[in-house]
Amino acid sequence: MALEEKREKRPPVTPMMIEEEAALRNGSRGLPPGPWAEAAGPRPRTTERHIAVHKRLVLGFAVSILALLAVTMIAVLLSVRFEECGAAADGPPRAGGNGSLSGAARQPPGTGQPPGRPEEEKARGGEAAAAEEKQEEEEEEWQRRRELPPWARPRLPRHLRPLHYNLMLSAFMENFTFSGEVNVQLEVRNASRYIVLHAHRMHIEAVRVAEDKLAGGVRVARSFLYPQTQVFVVVLNRSLEVQRSYNLKIIYNALIENELLGFFRSSYVLHGERRFLGVTQFSPTHARKAFPCFDEPIYKATFKISIRHQATYLSLSNMPVETSVFEEDGWVTDHFSQTPLMSTYYLAWAVCNFTYRETVTKSGVVVRLYARPDAIRRGSGDYALNITRRLIEFYEDYFKVPYSLPKLDLLAVPKHPYAAMENWGLSVFVEQRILLDPSISSISYLLDVTMVIVHELCHQWFGDLVTPVWWEDVWLKEGFAHYFEFVGTDYLYPGWNMEKQRFLTDVLHEVMLLDGLASSHPVSQEVQQATDIDRVFDWIAYKKGAALIRMLANFMGHSVFQMGLQDYLTIHKYGNAARNDLWNTLSKALKRVGKSVNIQEVMDQWTLQMGYPVITILGNETTDNVIVISQARFVYDSDAKPKDPALGDNSYLWQIPLTIAVGNTSHISSEAIIWVSNKSEHHRIPALEEASWLLGNINQTGYFRVNYDIRNWRLLINQLTRNHVVISVSNRAGLIDDAFNLARAGYLPQNIPLEIIRYLSEEMDFLPWHAASRALYPLDKLLDRTENYNIFNEYILRQVASMYLKLGWPTNNLNKSLVQASYQHEELRREVIMLACSFGNKHCHQQAATLISDWISSNRNRIPLNVRDIVYCTGVSLMDEDVWEFIWMKFHSTTAVSEKKILLEALTCSDDRNLLNRLLNLSLNSEVVLDQDAIDVIIHVARNPHGRDLAWKFFREKWKILNARYGEALFMNSKLISGVTEFLNTEEELRELKNFIKSYEEGAAASFSRAVETVEANVRWQRLYKEELFQWLRKSLTH
């Protein structure tokens, strides 16, 4: 049994034990001397024979009077205590919760109440019932006024503004609880006797309200938690006065949760011992689980944090430690410097026993990377640390705004819901996305680590420094960070051409798959309540946001765009901004260089409408040099019901910056830009000769697809076959992606994309191969369970064979000096090997099996780094169960996070359904597979044709468990739902999906809606186009 499970078996901690422990810490040994101590002792009885009868009557009457007075006094005292402390909705304050931190803050939550006498319990019950009755009366009064009470509204009332938080925490890592005292300085904008702020899943011990700089407090009538909107309500006896400042003090406690949000715990094993740490994840709405706060982005304030913990741990937060106070009992309190103005969801802290390495930027920013001691010792964080220093310097120069804090800590944790979180000054990364061992990490892994770090560092400006006003514009930070992943990586590795090339396959092509669904949504979408917030964090916000920013940068000109961003950050630093603030600033930047474009008018069409257009360019047979350009919304399934029935596809219209060029067998003209703003337009194109072809969306800078008449497609295919280098690398990749997706949606015959990729045998650039591989993948999954799959398989192998032989296999001698020079060539070789092994090239299979066998027999892994994942997967799929067990053993024994990831994924490649079922069941054991990795296991099994139905069945059977674990975590549920369902393609599977959704209507509605549309489109394609494709393939293979 694991250590964490053993902890559950120990005797429960009682409030009495906690109070005794607190008393011992304070140096006391029992009740202090005084009247209460005397009252607790036994009293001698009076002898009755010395009392006369009439004296007994007088005495009885006196005792009655005294008793009545005593009861009255007790009632008054209880009333005063109730008014000042405010019983929370989950019960009255516990012993020790009298308003002083020394008692309440040291008591862990979740341990119940001390046993009381029946009359005390009855009194408490009466008070709670009276409070509940009072709350119901007030709610009825609001209903009569036809208004929601302030605590029942989806957004916080606007009558208060927090100015400063003073937060003192005590972390009890031995039983995973914490306690806190928060003092919030409030500014009153409108008079009200209600204070409403967020608090969730915590026990409130005490609450007080006082006017600043004046003696005495404001009487608290009552207070309660309102779980429906995750708020804590303080009802006062009088209204707070406008333009006055007040202090709100709340003492509370809560659990350090065993989950992935709020203040949660994680663990790792070092020298056979399991060690624990506590870390926070507050974005978007989980700061309220760690302290009562105004948990909306607009409520920026300053924060002063103190963390008390055992001296065997260290604590981290957004700012550096100012002072540390050590106690005799082995505890220490770290007091951190005050933060700048910031939103609650960027606040962060951690309690751990990690070690670190550090570096310093040119401007004096101290950068540290904290991780497990063994990882630091191995130097696994050195790469991340060094590029972080360089990237801070790059961003400071690009934005002309200095990094705002004195330090930046990078924290590598074993368990985290996301790749990383950009907390200001304390960015948290899951280990797989920041730790890198050069001796066993591939170029692909290095690229992943690099881009995650580039993304999070961009957030220190876009997000931390300038924060979106509300969640509807989350793309303002996520879109920019995603775009700068490619710009920043180009700074580190100029030869990789990330922004001009890799952006296309990894961002543009990927998000257009999602945004081509009728169930998509605008990049800026309305957010009314907390339950709506999670759904805005998806690839539309991240990747479409980035693609629109890239389009904007290209039609503005990069230097003008950069100047506009500098102005935007300077104007809005330490504050909030909305999309119109960005548009206005960029329009002004254009005006300064003599250009007049209304950025808001153009970009509102792209951000407030869902989807994207397909531009169709047709030659005009009646007039020379004139073409017809039309636009329409692109959708994969024309039968799919639109999300908004009132807005049909014909209602969509965009202002489109269409770049266009004319080419022939040896030359292509310079590009011209045409702004297309109508459904259909005629344009004259000079030098458009009989043998010339047209090419639209040069280098794919625009967020749209381009279709042509069949004649132009034939000319382009002929050009690629004869002399493909006339067309740019980016456009070659774009033609492949557009053709496959236009055919999948029914805009083009099914053979056109397959004819285009025939030229690949001569293609020596990585990007078109990568585009082809990614475009073939969904087609492969549509066909991999059909009777005639071998025909498709054979056609692809023919296109790959010559390049596979030409490139060969890599040797295992990659090192740092080779990474930059060989990136394009090594990634091309990797892509071709992956295609060859995936589609069954015999030599590729033999090579993989030989490398695996050599590893097993010699116990030395000589498999080249850049193809290890391909070899592992191929070996597991081809070889016997012993190989699976060997990989399983290596997964458990390795400590390198990059290796652990690809070993786990390789286990999903087996053809053995028993092994796949075994792996699925093991995936939910957190001791075996980390929580964030379990989703990847299920999805990879679903991608395996031998495991697709197993994963689909497992998903349905375990949905309640999966939804409970991942339901609140951004991306995770939608990623899981999409990954398990996206390649279902039979009528029966579609029925199963719809029936399942009917059974479990709660949660993830948007994700399930997309899933149904995707499967419906798959079924439709099978019905309409599958046979057409196979007929062409049969004919092609016989020639």
Side-chain angles (χ1 to χ4, degrees):
M1 187 179 287
L3 179 62
E4 189 172 352
E5 292 174 320
K6 285 182 180 175
R7 286 173 178 267
E8 302 297 328
K9 299 295 183 183
R10 67 187 180 185
V13 181
T14 66
M16 187 67 74
M17 292 162 60
I18 295 161
E19 286 170 5
E20 287 173 356
E21 182 187 357
L24 289 170
R25 284 180 189 160
N26 289 325
S28 66
R29 291 293 181 273
L31 287 166
W36 291 107
E38 291 172 9
R43 300 182 182 184
R45 293 181 63 192
T46 305
T47 309
E48 290 188 19
R49 66 172 176 262
H50 295 296
I51 302 174
V53 174
H54 67 277
K55 287 182 179 178
R56 286 204 298 267
L57 292 171
V58 171
L59 183 60
F61 179 76
V63 168
S64 300
I65 295 297
L66 287 171
L68 183 60
L69 288 170
V71 169
T72 305
M73 288 294 293
I74 289 168
V76 169
L77 287 169
L78 284 171
S79 173
V80 169
R81 186 178 178 218
F82 180 75
E83 288 175 348
E84 290 188 349
C85 298
D90 53 350
R94 303 177 189 180
N98 58 2
S100 66
L101 187 62
S102 61
R106 291 171 188 263
Q107 178 176 321
T111 53
Q113 296 285 355
R117 290 176 299 187
E119 58 269 26
E120 290 174 345
E121 296 295 333
K122 189 175 179 181
R124 289 194 191 108
E127 290 169 10
E132 192 173 328
E133 187 178 336
K134 180 67 175 171
Q135 181 181 329
E136 287 174 359
E137 287 175 4
E138 290 200 27
E139 289 181 359
E140 286 172 6
E141 175 59 28
W142 284 98
Q143 285 175 2
R144 280 193 292 274
R145 291 158 58 177
R146 296 186 177 180
E147 288 183 64
L148 282 173
W151 55 86
R153 296 169 192 170
R155 298 279 297 273
L156 292 178
R158 293 287 179 261
H159 60 273
L160 297 175
R161 182 167 74 96
L163 302 176
H164 176 73
Y165 294 80
N166 199 329
L167 178 59
M168 292 167 281
L169 301 163
S170 293
F172 303 99
M173 295 302 294
E174 72 278 7
N175 64 359
F176 307 124
T177 63
F178 71 102
S179 58
E181 176 183 316
V182 63
N183 288 272
V184 191
Q185 185 185 351
L186 299 173
E187 178 186 78
V188 181
R189 292 173 167 180
N190 296 298
S192 176
R193 68 187 193 93
Y194 300 104
I195 299 175
V196 183
L197 71 166
H198 289 108
H200 189 46
R201 289 163 65 169
M202 62 180 59
H203 178 87
I204 306 295
E205 292 284 351
V207 57
R208 287 182 180 174
V209 179
E211 191 165 352
D212 252 12
K213 300 176 184 176
L214 290 174
V218 180
R219 292 276 295 274
V220 175
R222 62 193 184 87
S223 60
F224 57 92
L225 287 162
Y226 191 73
Q228 294 91 321
T229 50
Q230 302 179 358
V231 295
F232 178 60
V233 184
V234 181
V235 185
L236 303 171
N237 275 358
R238 65 174 175 85
S239 290
L240 301 177
E241 296 178 37
V242 178
Q243 295 183 342
R244 288 286 184 88
S245 173
Y246 295 83
N247 183 71
L248 170 66
K249 175 180 179 179
I250 301 173
I251 297 173
Y252 66 99
N253 51 44
L255 298 173
I256 302 174
E257 299 279 6
N258 184 24
E259 53 173 47
L260 296 165
L261 301 166
F263 186 19
F264 67 94
R265 65 184 185 262
S266 182
S267 68
Y268 61 98
V269 176
L270 185 66
H271 308 310
E273 175 194 359
R274 183 164 292 279
R275 296 188 176 187
F276 290 90
L277 62 142
V279 66
T280 58
Q281 171 57 41
F282 290 162
S283 177
T285 57
H286 305 288
R288 64 195 65 176
K289 294 178 181 176
F291 67 108
C293 58
F294 293 77
D295 199 13
E296 291 180 6
I298 195 70
Y299 290 115
K300 286 198 167 186
T302 55
F303 295 82
K304 190 84 167 61
I305 294 180
S306 301
I307 302 177
R308 182 175 177 272
H309 56 86
Q310 291 161 306
T312 51
Y313 289 87
L314 61 85
S315 68
L316 302 169
S317 189
N318 306 77
M319 299 296 287
V321 173
E322 247 177 7
T323 57
S324 294
V325 178
F326 291 85
E327 302 173 19
E328 292 182 1
D329 57 0
W331 286 69
V332 61
T333 301
D334 293 322
H335 299 278
F336 295 88
S337 300
Q338 182 171 305
T339 72
L341 284 169
M342 61 185 290
S343 299
T344 50
Y345 73 95
Y346 282 132
L347 199 68
W349 62 78
V351 178
C352 59
N353 40 28
F354 284 173
T355 53
Y356 69 88
R357 289 191 182 176
E358 76 171 37
T359 186
V360 182
T361 70
K362 290 175 185 175
S363 58
V365 178
V366 178
V367 183
R368 289 180 176 177
L369 188 142
Y370 287 83
R372 291 178 284 113
D374 53 325
I376 292 294
R377 195 165 48 250
R378 285 199 308 267
S380 299
D382 292 355
Y383 173 77
L385 188 65
N386 290 328
I387 67 167
T388 297
R389 174 180 51 78
R390 293 178 60 198
L391 286 165
I392 290 174
E393 294 165 357
F394 163 70
Y395 282 128
E396 287 184 324
D397 179 63
Y398 188 99
F399 296 137
K400 301 302 182 199
V401 175
Y403 176 74
S404 304
L405 305 184
K407 63 94 174 176
L408 173 61
D409 294 334
L410 312 175
L411 179 64
V413 297
K415 184 173 81 170
H416 198 264
Y418 317 121
M421 178 61 205
E422 68 271 13
N423 309 308
W424 211 357
L426 176 57
S427 291
V428 181
F429 297 76
V430 70
E431 288 178 335
Q432 292 173 355
R433 296 307 182 95
I434 193 168
L435 300 183
L436 181 148
D437 186 338
S439 66
I440 56 171
S441 297
S442 66
I443 295 176
S444 298
Y445 186 81
L446 179 140
L447 181 60
D448 283 347
V449 167
T450 302
M451 296 186 78
V452 170
I453 294 168
V454 177
H455 179 108
E456 301 310 321
L457 290 182
C458 180
H459 273 313
Q460 304 295 310
W461 284 263
F462 282 92
D464 296 4
L465 183 64
V466 179
T467 310
V469 170
W470 184 236
W471 300 108
E472 63 190 7
D473 282 330
V474 72
W475 70 273
L476 275 180
K477 69 186 188 76
E478 297 302 346
F480 273 103
H482 210 61
Y483 172 68
F484 273 97
E485 282 182 32
F486 297 84
V487 176
T489 305
D490 274 341
Y491 166 76
L492 296 172
Y493 300 103
W496 289 13
N497 292 320
M498 297 297 293
E499 191 270 339
K500 285 184 170 59
Q501 294 188 15
R502 193 68 182 256
F503 185 95
L504 303 184
T505 51
D506 293 11
V507 179
L508 184 66
H509 298 172
E510 186 171 325
V511 75
M512 285 177 125
L513 289 169
L514 183 62
D515 206 21
L517 299 174
S519 55
S520 185
H521 62 80
V523 73
S524 288
Q525 55 178 325
E526 193 173 8
V527 176
Q528 293 286 356
Q529 52 199 8
T531 52
D532 294 332
I533 294 170
D534 289 354
R535 65 180 169 82
V536 305
F537 284 85
D538 63 4
W539 284 141
I540 299 293
Y542 283 66
K543 293 181 182 281
K544 182 175 180 177
L548 295 180
I549 289 163
R550 179 173 176 265
M551 180 173 73
L552 183 59
N554 275 280
F555 78 68
M556 283 184 68
H558 284 273
S559 60
V560 181
F561 176 72
Q562 182 180 352
M563 183 172 62
L565 294 188
Q566 292 168 359
D567 293 344
Y568 171 79
L569 290 171
T570 302
I571 293 166
H572 298 288
K573 61 184 178 183
Y574 304 111
N576 299 83
R579 60 182 176 273
N580 287 348
D581 297 314
L582 177 65
W583 305 150
N584 292 337
T585 307
L586 294 179
S587 291
K588 288 175 183 175
L590 275 173
K591 280 184 181 177
R592 290 216 299 272
V593 296
K595 296 180 181 178
S596 182
V597 177
N598 187 329
I599 297 292
Q600 181 178 341
E601 185 181 312
V602 174
M603 294 307 295
D604 274 356
Q605 292 179 325
W606 294 95
T607 58
L608 302 180
Q609 291 185 120
M610 72 173 92
Y612 56 88
V614 53
I615 285 280
T616 302
I617 303 175
L618 302 175
N620 191 320
E621 296 178 2
T622 59
T623 311
D624 290 342
N625 297 340
V626 172
I627 58 171
V628 180
I629 302 174
S630 60
Q631 63 164 296
R633 184 189 174 195
F634 177 92
V635 284
Y636 282 102
D637 186 354
S638 57
D639 296 334
K641 294 177 182 177
K643 199 170 185 180
D644 182 359
L647 191 64
D649 290 339
N650 291 329
S651 304
Y652 288 85
L653 199 65
W654 291 266
Q655 291 192 49
I656 303 167
L658 172 65
T659 48
I660 197 165
V662 179
N664 56 36
T665 52
S666 60
H667 173 74
I668 187 169
S669 69
S670 56
E671 67 186 71
I673 186 167
I674 298 171
W675 280 92
V676 181
S677 54
N678 299 303
K679 282 289 180 187
S680 181
E681 301 179 0
H682 289 71
H683 290 272
R684 181 172 294 279
I685 305 295
L688 189 59
E689 298 171 359
E690 180 67 26
S692 299
W693 40 261
L694 283 166
L695 189 64
N697 197 12
I698 304 303
N699 295 321
Q700 279 210 297
T701 56
Y703 185 70
F704 48 89
R705 298 196 185 281
V706 182
N707 194 9
Y708 310 94
D709 53 45
I710 292 298
R711 176 181 172 277
N712 200 73
W713 277 113
R714 290 286 174 206
L715 288 168
L716 288 168
I717 291 169
N718 187 54
Q719 182 66 56
L720 290 170
T721 305
R722 290 189 175 191
N723 185 10
H724 63 270
V725 295
V726 170
I727 299 173
S728 72
V729 173
S730 300
N731 273 118
R732 298 199 299 269
L735 283 169
I736 290 168
D737 185 71
D738 275 351
F740 271 97
N741 285 282
L742 288 165
R744 184 177 170 187
Y747 293 86
L748 265 183
Q750 299 302 303
N751 58 296
I752 295 292
L754 294 173
E755 288 188 47
I756 285 178
I757 63 171
R758 280 175 169 166
Y759 97 95
L760 286 175
S761 57
E762 301 300 321
E763 178 62 83
M764 293 302 297
D765 276 291
F766 160 68
L767 190 71
W769 274 100
H770 193 46
S773 177
R774 294 178 78 113
L776 284 166
Y777 186 74
L779 183 58
D780 177 62
K781 297 305 169 191
L782 282 172
L783 299 172
D784 64 7
R785 294 182 295 172
T786 60
E787 289 180 14
N788 296 314
Y789 175 68
N790 63 308
I791 301 173
F792 173 73
N793 196 78
E794 185 181 345
Y795 182 84
I796 302 303
L797 278 177
R798 285 191 186 184
Q799 315 314 313
V800 174
S802 61
M803 188 59 69
Y804 173 75
L805 290 172
K806 192 182 296 183
L807 294 172
W809 279 68
T811 54
N812 198 11
N813 63 353
L814 288 176
N815 57 47
K816 289 179 185 177
S817 63
L818 290 173
V819 165
Q820 174 126 358
S822 64
Y823 165 74
Q824 296 282 353
H825 181 74
E826 289 303 324
E827 285 295 271
L828 170 61
R829 189 197 332 243
R830 168 188 162 76
E831 200 73 53
V832 172
I833 290 172
M834 183 171 65
L835 284 167
C837 277
S838 297
F839 284 95
N841 179 286
K842 289 181 180 178
H843 181 271
C844 194
H845 281 184
Q846 289 168 358
Q847 184 72 6
T850 300
L851 288 166
I852 288 279
S853 298
D854 174 68
W855 182 21
I856 293 171
S857 61
S858 67
N859 204 28
R860 286 187 61 197
N861 192 342
R862 288 184 276 256
I863 302 169
L865 299 177
N866 220 35
V867 293
R868 279 192 178 180
D869 57 338
I870 301 168
V871 172
Y872 293 174
C873 181
T874 305
V876 166
S877 70
L878 292 174
M879 302 167 82
D880 59 22
E881 187 175 338
D882 289 344
V883 173
W884 195 93
E885 295 291 354
F886 176 79
I887 298 292
W888 177 249
M889 177 193 70
K890 290 296 182 182
F891 164 70
H892 283 286
S893 62
T894 186
T895 55
V897 291
S898 60
E899 188 75 355
K900 215 171 185 68
K901 179 177 184 290
I902 61 173
L903 286 165
L904 181 61
E905 289 177 0
L907 293 167
T908 69
C909 298
S910 176
D911 290 357
D912 187 326
R913 291 168 63 83
N914 290 327
L915 290 175
L916 294 176
N917 255 331
R918 175 181 162 192
L919 184 62
L920 285 170
N921 288 312
L922 285 167
S923 70
L924 292 185
N925 183 341
S926 299
E927 295 295 324
V928 178
V929 177
L930 291 171
D931 287 354
Q932 69 264 17
D933 293 338
I935 284 179
D936 291 327
V937 169
I938 299 167
I939 290 173
H940 277 80
V941 171
R943 290 174 179 172
N944 181 341
H946 301 282
R948 192 164 305 149
D949 63 315
L950 300 178
W952 173 223
K953 183 172 181 283
F954 181 81
F955 170 85
R956 285 174 289 160
E957 290 175 350
K958 305 295 183 184
W959 170 246
K960 286 187 177 179
I961 297 170
L962 293 165
N963 193 39
R965 184 189 282 193
Y966 303 116
E968 283 192 282
L970 306 177
F971 274 125
M972 285 197 159
N973 252 3
S974 60
K975 177 183 176 182
L976 177 62
I977 292 165
S978 170
V980 171
T981 62
E982 65 181 329
F983 300 123
L984 302 178
N985 54 40
T986 68
E987 294 279 4
E988 177 59 26
E989 287 168 338
L990 179 58
R991 273 195 301 273
E992 289 173 350
L993 175 59
K994 289 180 176 178
N995 290 336
F996 173 76
I997 294 170
K998 285 178 186 175
S999 304
Y1000 295 98
E1001 290 180 356
E1002 76 286 350
S1007 298
F1008 279 124
S1009 177
R1010 285 194 296 271
V1012 168
E1013 187 185 345
T1014 301
V1015 178
E1016 284 177 339
N1018 292 346
V1019 171
R1020 177 176 177 268
W1021 185 91
Q1022 295 267 1
R1023 186 178 70 251
L1024 296 179
Y1025 304 118
K1026 181 180 70 174
E1027 196 49 45
E1028 176 192 334
L1029 178 73
F1030 279 133
Q1031 282 178 5
W1032 184 87
L1033 287 170
R1034 287 189 196 97
K1035 185 178 177 181
S1036 176
L1037 289 170
T1038 56
H1039 285 75

